[in-house]
Amino acid sequence: MAVTQFVVNGLLIGALFAAVAVGFALIWGVVDIINLAHGEMVMLGGYTSYWVLSLITGNAEGTPLLFLATIPAAIAVLYVVGYGLQRTLVSRVIGTDIFLTLLVTFGISIAIQQLAIQAWSANPRSIQVAFGDPSINVVGLVIPKMKLVAFVGAIALTAVLYLFLQRTRTGRAIRAVSQNPEAAALVGIDVEHTRAVTFGISSAIAGGIGAFIATILNIQPQMGLIYTLKSFVIVVFGGVGSIPGALIGGLLLGTVEELTTGFVSSQWTLAVSFTLLIVLLVVKPNGLFGEGAEQ
Amino acid sequence: MSTNESDGSEGLLRSIVPPNQIERVFDFCDAHAWKLLAFGAVAGALPPLLGLEQGYYMTVISEMYLFAILALSWDIVGGQTGYPSFGNMAFFGIGAYTTAILVKDFTVAVPLAMVAAGLIAVAFAAIIGAAVLRLRGHYFAIATLGVLLATQQVSRIIEITGGASGKILLDVPPGTVFYYLFFGVLVVEMAVVYYLSNTRFGFILNAIRDDEEKATAMGFNTAYYKTAAWMLAALFTGLAGGTYSLFNTFIDPQTAYNGAWNVELIAMALLGGSGTVAGPVLGAFGLHTVIEYVETAFVGWHLVLLGVVVVVTVIGFPEGIVGTLREYASEMDYYERGGMAAAGDGDSEVIDDE
């Protein structure tokens, strides 16, 4: 196996990590909360897509188009979940000790995880997407089609979010709240609603990516924490509040993990990414592209 | 006439639990803390001697002590110093594996292996602390969570830990031994934490929590104090872990580095009242009893309950039971004494609402 193949695999997977991390960074930047339940949104999105597909076809297998049709469902369901969580629970701890906000989101994460185990058992599941020919060959590189679809999907979701934040009225409101909630309230922005919308959007993207993850890697109720921590690694690496930073951070983390898998063993990927996290935090807590946590 | 408007429910509460009574209890506890601790130590040592032990309850109570140790250890750094660690279970796991490996693979004597568990955890804390204690708030919490998961993952991979399938330990001491071990560690830890909280060391830890920059500016070497507290927490957590692997007769990465336990012990400290000695211990006893009940009555639901408890505690009583009571007592105390002064000697200053 050539290094290029690992790098390509890493970039394909890394885009998924990046898109999850973008949502995480958005909540961190706008609501000023580290959402430790973010990974659970990925998990719930995966299950939503899985069940919708099962409902249509009778089992969790389908054509690429049918699978893509389940993505809006995952996005919509998770938007509602995220919006509701912010409105009912998270909003009550905003402005208190940051440690309490961490603990609340961790509590939510544990509760969702365990409810998911009760509902769907702890067995891993996956969505089978049928292609005539599962992979394509480009200059000696093998690229699985599903990974390519997921890669494009992840980039598209990130791009849509970026444009949404830049171009729409709601997007401007979100940016205003992230910069200065008091001033935003003064000019007539409903800060509470905007924060909940942000939470909803961020969860929705995580949910959409969860559906893609269900086709490539497995989904199971306890998968969430890993994605939350990976998001944290990526955001710390890219800098809080920077979407391009998160994108580059995600692609890099994916590459590092694939290279570890390729040259050492898949068992070491997690240990490597968490060690990377600690080293990064100690060496450069503001990230490579960061403008500092305040901005 | 002199009562304020929001008196409806508080008036009821006050007639049931008069704040000056609570104040009195607190005063009494403060004045006789050492005697109370000694009394508790004797009382706790009695049940097995009187033959009251029944296998199941003995185990449950031993576990209660175990969690009290863990919650109080967490609080040394989390509550006293204000560095909320999500990775304390790393010390526990390292302690657990140290004992298991020493006893099983090197046939070291059990007491020695347990002491080694504490010491290795302290050494690990010193190394890790140098890195993570430079971080604050969010970053510290996540970094410690990363440490926990990384050590768990490493234990899963390397050979000597028995990998993912873990280690089985037979030939362990009888249950009563563990009852006394957990209880003894808890009593010693309570004494140490209580003693320290009235020393310069304890005051500096609290100063770091309240305003680290000011503490540094006053010339205290905060890095030294933080690391010392962190190592102290690791010592007791490691000892508890080392004892636990023999107590449980089985250890694997999932049980040794139990992330849910880490949240459980934070919840216990917060529920009881962090930053105090009694709080984490009371919280551990209370929450463990509830969790034990839920675990037997509704199998598989206790973590859901834990999540709910955490959310409700944090939103409803961030000060915990002890903190809330103390606040209530001292707040009411202010009004009470003011009122008494007015009624007693008719001090002109306090007559305002006649």
Side-chain angles (χ1 to χ4, degrees), chain B:
Chain B
M1 239 211 291
S2 64
T3 51
N4 53 34
E5 282 109 81
S6 67
D7 217 36
S9 60
E10 283 194 355
L12 185 69
L13 180 67
R14 216 182 300 180
S15 63
I16 300 169
V17 195
N20 55 346
Q21 290 298 327
I22 297 177
E23 183 78 9
R24 210 168 286 165
V25 171
F26 276 124
D27 284 345
F28 180 81
C29 290
D30 284 341
H32 299 276
W34 288 109
K35 288 175 209 160
L36 284 171
L37 194 62
F39 177 74
V42 173
L46 282 179
L49 286 180
L50 297 176
L52 290 178
E53 90 266 28
Q54 296 293 320
Y56 171 73
Y57 287 105
M58 192 78 147
T59 310
V60 171
I61 294 172
S62 300
E63 277 175 5
M64 263 161 69
Y65 294 151
L66 164 67
F67 275 104
I69 298 169
L70 297 181
L72 191 54
S73 303
W74 179 86
D75 203 59
I76 297 174
V77 176
Q80 304 277 2
T81 320
Y83 275 71
S85 161
F86 278 83
N88 266 27
M89 285 300 288
F91 305 141
F92 184 87
I94 283 171
Y97 271 112
T98 304
T99 307
I101 291 168
L102 285 179
V103 168
K104 191 156 192 200
D105 299 332
F106 297 93
T107 53
V108 173
V110 168
L112 247 138
M114 286 177 181
V115 174
L119 296 181
I120 301 246
V122 169
F124 177 73
I127 297 166
I128 277 298
V132 295
L133 284 167
R134 291 164 52 185
L135 305 164
R136 276 202 74 90
H138 289 140
Y139 293 99
F140 176 78
I142 304 285
T144 49
L145 187 57
V147 168
L148 173 61
L149 289 165
T151 47
Q152 181 185 42
Q153 196 61 25
V154 169
S155 305
R156 204 170 268 151
I157 303 165
I158 58 177
E159 288 281 312
I160 197 158
T161 56
S165 44
K167 267 185 153 35
I168 298 170
L169 296 144
L170 301 168
D171 224 15
V172 295
T176 326
V177 172
F178 293 107
Y179 177 94
Y180 283 119
L181 274 175
F182 286 130
F183 185 66
V185 173
L186 176 61
V187 170
V188 171
E189 184 177 19
M190 285 179 79
V192 169
V193 175
Y194 179 72
Y195 171 74
L196 286 179
S197 66
N198 288 313
T199 60
R200 188 185 150 86
F201 182 78
F203 295 140
I204 293 171
L205 293 190
N206 291 351
I208 291 173
R209 175 186 63 198
D210 297 338
D211 192 336
E212 184 163 358
E213 266 141 45
K214 210 174 272 175
T216 314
M218 283 168 75
F220 297 124
N221 183 356
T222 51
Y224 167 80
Y225 288 97
K226 281 187 292 188
T227 315
W230 177 248
M231 284 161 69
L232 189 66
L235 173 69
F236 289 110
T237 312
L239 280 174
T243 315
Y244 180 79
S245 63
L246 294 174
F247 169 72
N248 198 39
T249 67
F250 171 70
I251 203 76
D252 71 348
Q254 204 63 42
T255 47
Y257 302 97
N258 193 330
W261 276 23
N262 207 93
V263 181
E264 222 160 295
L265 56 96
I266 298 175
M268 286 164 173
L270 284 189
L271 192 65
S274 67
T276 64
V277 183
V281 177
L282 288 177
F285 288 177
L287 188 54
H288 189 73
T289 310
V290 176
I291 284 177
E292 192 64 33
Y293 169 73
V294 172
E295 231 170 7
T296 36
F298 312 95
V299 179
W301 286 90
H302 93 274
L303 286 176
V304 179
L305 172 90
L306 177 65
V308 173
V309 166
V310 166
V311 173
V312 169
T313 308
V314 169
I315 292 175
F317 313 89
E319 303 287 322
I321 297 166
V322 172
T324 308
L325 279 180
R326 181 165 280 170
E327 211 164 71
Y328 170 74
S330 62
E331 193 177 297
M332 288 305 139
D333 177 59
Y334 171 79
Y335 292 118
E336 295 264 314
R337 294 218 176 132
M340 249 147 65
D345 41 36
D347 197 329
S348 58
E349 260 179 51
V350 201
I351 301 169
D352 44 20
D353 37 14
E354 240 79 29

Side-chain angles (χ1 to χ4, degrees), chain A residues 12-99:
Chain A
L12 290 175
I13 294 286
L16 294 174
F17 295 164
V20 174
V22 164
F24 183 83
L26 190 64
I27 297 184
W28 191 349
V30 178
V31 193
D32 196 19
I33 285 220
I34 299 280
N35 179 19
L36 288 177
H38 192 63
E40 271 61 39
M41 306 301 140
V42 179
M43 184 262 290
L44 289 178
Y47 275 102
T48 308
S49 172
Y50 180 93
W51 287 115
V52 171
L53 200 62
S54 301
L55 214 63
I56 301 171
T57 63
N59 56 11
E61 291 170 20
T63 61
L65 273 182
L66 210 51
F67 162 71
L68 287 178
T70 68
I71 302 263
I75 288 179
V77 168
L78 268 297
Y79 178 82
V80 174
V81 171
Y83 188 95
L85 278 179
Q86 163 69 25
R87 267 276 142 111
T88 53
L89 297 175
V90 178
S91 64
R92 289 166 197 272
V93 287
I94 288 179
T96 62
D97 189 10
I98 42 172
F99 167 57

